[in-house]
Amino acid sequence: MDEKSLKENLAVIRQALSRAHRVVALTGAGISAESGVPTFRGAEGLWRHYRATDLATPEAFARDPRLVWEFYNWRRDLLAPLRPNAAHLALVELEGRVPEFLLITQNIDGLHRAAGSRQVLELHGNIWQVRCTGCGRITEDRTLLPELPACGACGGLLRPHVVWFGESLDPMVLNRAFKAVESCQALLIIGTSGNVQPAASMGLHARRHGAFVAEINLEATPATGAYDVTLLGKAGELLPRVVR
Ligand code: OAD
């Protein structure tokens, strides 16, 4: 996209945001890429010879909890020193500027809250939280966990408090997300390949309810062309220009 049409598209998005009472942002792994977090479907989405999709499943955990915890401890270790980037910070600024704002993220890295976002809905959970498979207790734990961490309350085996493939999302979280998407006037979709439901359907859902929808992504996605505007490029470069 040449600079002239980029400027025009930026102006269109800014105008829609300035008119919107309620703004929703939906983010995926791409918004954390410039912080150093590997995306899922990029080449670096690998750990040893496993893909996240091989290990982030209830079956893998039942079969070999030690291996799954080794994978999550590797990801926690990798994420620990990483910081929010300009794209995360641009959403914090936007949240402070619009009357009503909700950030819905598919990411489990916790970087939106670390950046200062307050109204955050984590569709797929949070890698810094653990849940007891015995008593269900959920706690935040950023320490280096043992290979089979046990619940402090009942001694049960802990698991990452994240949504695994084949698991359903928390209906309360999902309900709140769709209510916000249906009632917003502007939706920004940032850094997601649009491969995984239900997040992938939110853009069209918002459009059907009359919202302005803009997508910011490094590459085109299946829904590109169905939105009002798509900006192709890095979120860390484009989002600050949208919000400025
Ligand atoms: P993906 O890895 O599928 O897609 C990341 C998207 O971000 C791709 O379309 C990239 O082109 C784009 N991208 C990469 N770097 C970018 C940058 N600097 N700026 C802007 N865009 C960039 O990740 P998600 O769409 O988030 O689910 O994946 C959705 C879900 O699939 C994840 O939440 C996870 C995974 O399975 C669960 O863990 C349940």
Side-chain angles (χ1 to χ4, degrees):
M1 183 183 291
D2 61 82
E3 185 59 21
K4 184 173 173 299
S5 47
L6 173 58
K7 281 206 171 96
E8 284 160 6
N9 280 309
L10 286 168
V12 168
I13 299 174
R14 284 195 203 109
Q15 193 177 53
L17 290 175
S18 63
R19 287 184 180 151
H21 177 76
R22 176 193 286 247
V23 174
V24 174
L26 168 65
T27 66
I31 200 167
S32 296
E34 290 155 88
S35 294
V37 182
T39 59
F40 284 86
R41 291 168 179 86
E44 74 286 8
L46 278 170
W47 174 63
R48 295 192 194 153
H49 52 288
Y50 295 100
R51 289 201 77 74
T53 41
D54 303 331
L55 294 170
T57 70
E59 296 75 21
F61 190 68
R63 191 172 49 247
D64 190 347
R66 217 178 286 273
L67 176 67
V68 174
W69 264 117
E70 212 181 322
F71 170 61
Y72 275 92
N73 275 326
W74 169 78
R75 284 180 76 186
R76 287 163 56 108
D77 206 32
L78 178 139
L79 287 172
L82 303 185
R83 292 289 165 264
N85 66 61
H88 296 104
L89 296 171
L91 290 184
V92 177
E93 193 180 331
L94 183 61
E95 179 172 10
R97 298 240 301 268
V98 298
E100 274 193 55
F101 183 82
L102 179 66
L103 201 169
I104 302 168
T105 187
Q106 301 172 87
N107 301 339
I108 60 173
D109 56 33
L111 288 178
H112 283 302
R113 283 215 176 88
S117 289
R118 292 191 313 282
Q119 294 301 320
V120 180
L121 214 46
E122 291 172 320
L123 288 182
H124 296 156
N126 183 313
I127 200 167
W128 302 112
Q129 290 178 334
V130 288
R131 184 169 84 233
C132 177
T133 56
C135 67
R137 185 167 168 253
I138 298 169
T139 51
E140 169 134 346
D141 187 327
R142 289 179 174 262
T143 63
L144 183 64
L145 293 168
E147 48 185 8
L148 286 177
C151 173
C154 77
L157 177 61
L158 296 179
R159 59 163 280 179
H161 184 49
V162 299
V163 176
W164 279 335
F165 296 95
E167 291 187 319
S168 50
L169 278 65
D170 176 336
M172 301 273 286
V173 168
L174 210 47
N175 188 33
R176 193 175 154 208
F178 272 100
K179 278 206 179 348
V181 161
E182 285 162 10
S183 59
C184 72
Q185 289 76 42
L187 169 65
L188 297 181
I189 301 177
I190 307 138
T192 178
S193 62
N195 275 299
V196 172
Q197 294 300 350
S201 65
M202 289 181 182
L204 296 181
H205 199 70
R207 263 187 71 63
R208 270 200 297 276
H209 285 78
F212 169 90
V213 182
E215 176 186 37
I216 295 176
N217 206 58
L218 202 57
E219 59 205 357
T221 66
T224 298
Y227 299 140
D228 295 278
V229 174
T230 288
L231 299 182
L232 294 181
K234 289 186 173 182
E237 291 166 12
L238 290 171
L239 207 46
R241 293 185 66 176
V242 165
V243 173
R244 192 177 302 145

